Amino acid sequence: MLHLDHLVKKFGGLTATDDVTLDFPAGSLSAIIGPNGAGKTTLFNQITGHLVPTSGRIMFDGENISGLKPAAIVRKGIGRAFQVASIFPSMTVEEALATAVSAHNRTAFQLHSAFPPLNVRHQTEELLALLGMEPVARSLSGEISHGDQKLLDVGLALALNPKVLLLDEPAAGMGPEERWQMMDTVKHLWKSRNMTLIFIEHDIDLVFKTAEIIHVLRYGAVLASGKAHEIRGNPEVIKAYLGSETDTVKDAV
Ligand SMILES: Nc1ncnc2c1ncn2[C@@H]1O[C@H](COP(=O)(O)OP(=O)(O)OP(=O)(O)O)[C@@H](O)[C@H]1O
């Protein structure tokens, strides 16, 4: 499905992605972890076309997509949640999702029409249910909690019906309980949409409990890949994290 083949990204003298070869099979749920500056976001930015790799290939469904523009990559089916919910503060959650669904369907409809096309309405309701956002459907996007805004960001990405969804720290900035709820929702939507999902997360407890497979980056290179129990016991990973300032990782590993 998605395969990174000897990917390299250099910023001047800094190698932010160092010969990364990774496979994300169809329907898998993977996490990318690593100390600050390990190159996690740089990797996402190359997959989504926001950065052009220095060398190597990004293969998606058998096609080399490296170097394509972000919009073309979205159209191919790779979506990413951006922090955009706050851009629509005066739209309700429902309207924001309907607008995204509509844009995807290329169905023009009057935003405030009482009768948007049925398929848009159905898809919007489905998204609200999937994300557990019915209680805030009529709330203004600018007035919902930080956690709900992050969920709405995920919903806006889902509205484009991606085959692969990338989430960059979906639970960042949330309280402990909200973080777990967010990861439960992520897992639930991954299962129900049968999609390929890749997320970056700093909280190793969340990663171990959520991801099927974990890829650890350090200095831009893949340090280890495996299931939670394999990563947890990997001496190289422990060493890498003990050398970082990420306390949550120290505690958990
Ligand atoms: N546009 C850029 N220009 C120059 N250097 C960059 C650029 N983007 C990232 N870097 C550098 O590349 C390295 C990897 O950064 P990146 O943001 O990908 O790491 P990360 O693992 O996502 O970090 P964090 O966990 O702190 O978000 C860092 O040293 C960073 O300073």
Side-chain angles (χ1 to χ4, degrees), residues 1-205:
M1 145 81 47
L2 179 65
H3 180 71
L4 311 182
D5 183 20
H6 295 290
L7 207 62
V8 174
K9 179 67 192 177
K10 291 182 192 263
F11 296 111
L14 177 88
T15 304
T17 302
D18 188 2
D19 196 24
V20 168
T21 293
L22 285 177
D23 198 43
F24 300 98
S28 56
L29 174 55
S30 319
I32 298 181
I33 65 169
N36 291 337
K40 305 177 294 292
T41 303
T42 300
L43 207 61
F44 267 21
N45 283 336
Q46 290 169 89
I47 296 171
T48 57
H50 291 91
L51 283 174
V52 179
T54 305
S55 62
R57 298 186 307 169
I58 301 168
M59 303 298 295
F60 181 53
D61 279 347
E63 185 190 348
N64 185 2
I65 59 161
S66 30
L68 290 186
K69 295 266 179 287
I73 291 178
V74 169
R75 280 197 297 275
K76 298 259 176 218
I78 299 182
R80 176 175 179 180
F82 284 100
Q83 291 186 16
V84 289
S86 51
I87 293 173
F88 313 108
S90 57
M91 270 191 198
T92 66
V93 167
E94 197 171 36
E95 285 167 347
L97 286 172
T99 304
V101 167
S102 173
H104 179 62
N105 294 358
R106 296 176 196 284
T107 314
F109 77 97
Q110 289 271 310
L111 244 192
H112 297 288
S113 154
F115 303 104
L118 261 189
N119 57 343
V120 173
R121 240 193 298 168
H122 281 161
Q123 288 173 60
T124 303
E125 279 163 17
E126 200 187 304
L127 281 174
L128 286 168
L130 190 63
L131 298 165
M133 294 194 85
E134 293 109 324
V136 293
R138 303 273 157 84
S139 304
L140 293 178
S141 303
E143 292 177 1
I144 55 178
S145 69
H146 170 75
D148 281 335
Q149 288 201 346
K150 300 265 307 181
L151 270 181
L152 179 54
D153 286 329
V154 174
L156 293 170
L158 280 177
L160 308 182
N161 213 9
K163 294 182 201 161
V164 177
L165 179 64
L166 307 181
L167 301 176
D168 196 340
E169 295 196 57
M174 295 183 188
E177 202 173 313
E178 232 184 351
R179 296 172 74 80
W180 285 105
Q181 272 171 15
M182 182 59 163
M183 293 321 290
D184 277 352
T185 305
V186 166
K187 201 151 188 172
H188 171 64
L189 68 89
W190 164 69
K191 272 191 193 149
S192 48
R193 284 276 175 121
N194 200 21
M195 61 169 63
T196 307
L197 202 146
I198 310 167
F199 68 98
I200 294 173
E201 180 54 58
H202 273 287
D203 185 331
I204 203 89
D205 278 337

